[in-house]
Amino acid sequence: MPKQDKALSFDYEFLNKLIVGIGEVAQITALPTRQIRYWEEKGIIKSLTEVEGKNRRYDYENIKKILLIKELLDEGYTLDAAAGKIQSRMDTIEQTLRKLQTK
């Protein structure tokens, strides 16, 4: 199968390397950078930048989380409820993958 036919959602090598700045995340998610910063302040997402004042950078997992939370907000969830629901799902998926990894 040619590389271009491969679905990006399953190209783990590419997704693990995907790290973008806050401006790019804002474009991808259609959320203002101020809102992304607020979500980070609340602990909903976490930038890869550890030094204060540096440009915030985000990985695929955070972008996915933002998009899923945004979808739930559009359906009427509060931010805290949406963030909790997504975190619970991500925890369940992580636990399941760990179980599969030990088999």
Side-chain angles (χ1 to χ4, degrees):
M1 171 155 82
K3 183 116 176 125
Q4 68 229 29
D5 292 338
K6 188 175 185 180
L8 281 179
S9 60
F10 294 106
D11 189 346
Y12 298 113
E13 185 178 330
F14 167 74
L15 295 177
N16 284 331
K17 293 178 185 175
L18 180 67
I19 298 174
V20 296
I22 192 168
E24 292 168 297
V25 174
Q27 289 178 333
I28 292 166
T29 62
L31 289 176
T33 56
R34 174 179 274 180
Q35 190 169 7
I36 296 167
R37 284 188 199 101
Y38 175 70
W39 288 13
E40 186 174 349
E41 288 169 11
K42 286 188 61 99
I44 295 170
I45 58 172
K46 185 174 191 281
S47 74
L48 304 177
T49 308
E50 295 182 14
V51 179
E52 190 65 32
K54 289 245 181 179
N55 291 336
R56 289 173 166 91
R57 304 193 59 76
Y58 299 91
D59 60 5
Y60 169 72
E61 184 177 330
N62 279 288
I63 295 169
K64 179 172 64 173
K65 192 182 254 191
I66 291 169
L67 290 170
L68 292 170
I69 290 171
K70 184 178 177 212
E71 187 177 313
L72 291 176
L73 290 174
D74 290 345
E75 292 177 9
Y77 282 77
T78 65
L79 177 58
D80 290 336
K85 185 173 185 118
I86 295 304
Q87 190 58 54
S88 175
R89 284 183 182 177
M90 292 178 85
D91 290 346
T92 300
I93 291 168
E94 190 65 31
Q95 290 171 3
T96 302
L97 291 174
R98 281 199 181 110
K99 286 178 187 175
L100 290 172
Q101 196 175 34
T102 60
K103 288 187 174 189

